[in-house]
Amino acid sequence: MKRCSKIIGTGGYLPETVRTNDDISKLVDTNDEWIFERTGIKTRRIAGPNESAASMSEIAARQAIKAAGIEAGEIDLIIVATGTPDRVYPSTACMLQHRLEIQNCVSFDIQAACSGSIFALSIADQYIKSGAADKVLVVGAELCSRLVDWTDRGTCILFGDGAGAVLLDSSDEFGILSTHIHSDGAFEDLLYCPNPQVATEENKAEKGFITMKGNEVFKVAVNTLGRIVDETLSANSLEKSDIDWLVPHQANTRIIAATARKLKMSMDQVILTLENQGNTSSASVLLALNEGVRDGRIERGQLILLEAFGAGFTWGSALIKY
Ligand code: UT7
């Protein structure tokens, strides 16, 4: 069997504070019924004032390291996917490396919005397959609540904070079978978050909030995720019925249900965290994976399909024999 990337540990962290739909209905003109019906979300977690992408990453990463039964010092590479880094630089991954007291490894961030964890898994897999690294820590960490305009009902109902982590190790047994990642920069206007401090003259009036044409994003997401399912199955000569679990990015239950329908899967085969986490962007797939692994639904030897879609647009999948 060829060298592949096996999941040896997972972790996750959600901040303590819960914000309900009723809480949000005191801020904007909305209600619990509309939000739950249109998105599947009931509550989301909001990070405390002293929490950051690095601090949340550390908790998720330590859990994954413990589950893997390794020492932090054995890690060769740390990749953090985040759109809310603590600082422009150094990278959150370097901060995490320091927090984990690892003297000698390579650490960098990647930014692919909500597809970040799939992109990071794909990069990690190339490093492991090529022999450039053995143990790789992949983290997705987001403080979406600080990028949200709490007066915009089209976006503030959707997002939450959290961090997910996974530890990969080289194996000749099984692990990541394939990853498929894509980008198309033509859709910038449908979903973006300005960075006012480095804006051009033309853009400098824009505030640093998530700006989205939700309905248009929704349609592209459903079609694109349908295509990525076909691409992944055909690359591995598999049938829809071969997949045991769908671990999707958690943006909207209606989007997830469309992908499950495409796979002819029942919603019982989908790891859904959306209801109590909202959309945690690059953290969501790893948080869902962690939940499925820890509660015993995902078992060794099963086939799991991870997928995500986000700003860029970016989208991708990872097929894993767990
Ligand atoms: O993770 C990255 C990718 N992001 C996504 O995938 C998000 C994709 N988009 C979505 O999840 C959905 O488009 C939303 C949940 C954001 C919106 O749902 P929708 O069914 O697409 O609603 P809509 O934007 O078409 O709006 C329908 C109606 C509008 O009213 P009118 O014009 O029909 O009178 C909106 O003004 O719902 C209204 N509306 C709301 N009403 C109550 C929009 N937001 C709200 C709200 N509460 N929060």
Side-chain angles (χ1 to χ4, degrees):
M1 177 110 188
K2 62 180 191 222
R3 186 180 166 94
C4 60
S5 317
K6 182 181 175 182
I7 295 176
I8 57 164
T10 64
Y13 173 72
L14 294 166
E16 227 176 270
T17 303
V18 173
R19 188 163 293 171
T20 65
N21 291 345
D22 285 340
D23 293 335
I24 296 180
S25 69
K26 293 181 187 113
L27 305 173
V28 290
D29 180 15
T30 190
N31 58 72
D32 176 53
E33 197 188 350
W34 191 96
I35 300 173
F36 185 62
E37 210 168 85
R38 305 307 293 165
T39 70
I41 301 167
K42 278 194 174 294
T43 66
R44 68 290 288 143
R45 301 297 186 95
I46 306 294
N50 293 320
E51 292 190 296
S52 73
S55 75
M56 296 195 302
S57 295
E58 182 186 353
I59 301 170
R62 284 194 187 279
Q63 265 186 26
I65 292 166
K66 192 171 171 208
I70 65 157
E71 298 296 324
E74 294 177 54
I75 294 169
D76 302 307
L77 169 65
I78 299 175
I79 309 175
V80 175
T82 183
T84 52
D86 290 37
R87 297 185 187 275
V88 174
Y89 42 77
S91 67
T92 303
C94 282
M95 293 181 182
L96 176 60
Q97 176 185 345
H98 185 62
R99 281 169 174 265
L100 296 174
E101 296 174 68
I102 305 172
Q103 261 91 46
N104 189 18
C105 79
V106 180
S107 307
F108 56 83
D109 287 359
I110 66 123
Q111 157 57 299
C114 295
S115 310
S117 54
I118 301 287
F119 276 53
L121 279 173
S122 181
I123 297 165
D125 188 40
Q126 312 309 319
Y127 269 85
I128 290 174
K129 268 193 198 136
S130 70
D134 284 315
K135 293 184 175 56
V136 182
L137 172 65
V138 170
V139 178
E142 300 283 0
L143 282 149
C144 299
S145 64
R146 297 197 194 146
L147 292 185
V148 154
D149 175 357
W150 289 99
T151 66
D152 174 12
R153 70 176 183 172
T155 53
C156 75
I157 57 163
L158 298 171
F159 293 96
D161 300 334
V166 65
L167 246 170
L168 301 168
D169 194 3
S170 61
S171 164
D172 54 10
E173 203 183 346
F174 47 66
I176 296 179
L177 301 182
S178 69
T179 61
H180 307 266
I181 56 175
H182 299 274
S183 318
D184 185 346
F187 295 92
E188 179 184 349
D189 285 352
L190 296 190
L191 177 52
Y192 62 95
C193 184
N195 187 355
Q197 216 179 330
V198 292
T200 58
E201 192 61 27
E202 190 190 351
N203 295 332
K204 76 174 185 203
E206 290 180 335
K207 300 233 163 58
F209 295 133
I210 297 170
T211 308
M212 179 169 71
K213 293 186 178 129
N215 197 277
E216 290 173 60
V217 175
F218 185 100
K219 287 177 205 153
V220 184
V222 168
N223 290 330
T224 308
L225 290 170
R227 285 204 310 277
I228 199 86
V229 164
D230 288 337
E231 181 185 337
T232 312
L233 291 174
S234 113
N236 291 280
S237 305
L238 288 170
E239 304 293 329
K240 291 169 179 165
S241 56
D242 293 323
I243 309 294
D244 294 299
W245 290 103
L246 176 64
V247 184
H249 170 49
Q250 315 274 325
N252 188 312
T253 22
R254 291 182 291 138
I255 297 177
I256 296 171
T259 310
R261 266 199 306 279
K262 167 95 194 172
L263 279 163
K264 296 194 164 47
M265 286 175 112
S266 102
M267 287 302 273
D268 292 342
Q269 288 172 278
V270 180
I271 309 290
L272 258 188
T273 57
L274 190 69
E275 184 169 331
N276 293 312
Q277 294 180 18
N279 179 348
T280 57
S281 191
S282 70
S284 84
V285 172
L286 297 183
L287 277 166
L289 177 68
N290 181 51
E291 196 167 299
V293 166
R294 281 179 187 265
D295 67 20
R297 275 179 290 174
I298 297 176
E299 292 174 23
R300 282 285 172 205
Q302 288 185 326
L303 266 188
I304 55 177
L305 177 61
L306 279 51
E307 48 85 341
F309 178 90
F313 287 146
T314 54
W315 64 99
S317 66
L319 186 73
I320 301 174
K321 187 160 185 197
Y322 179 73

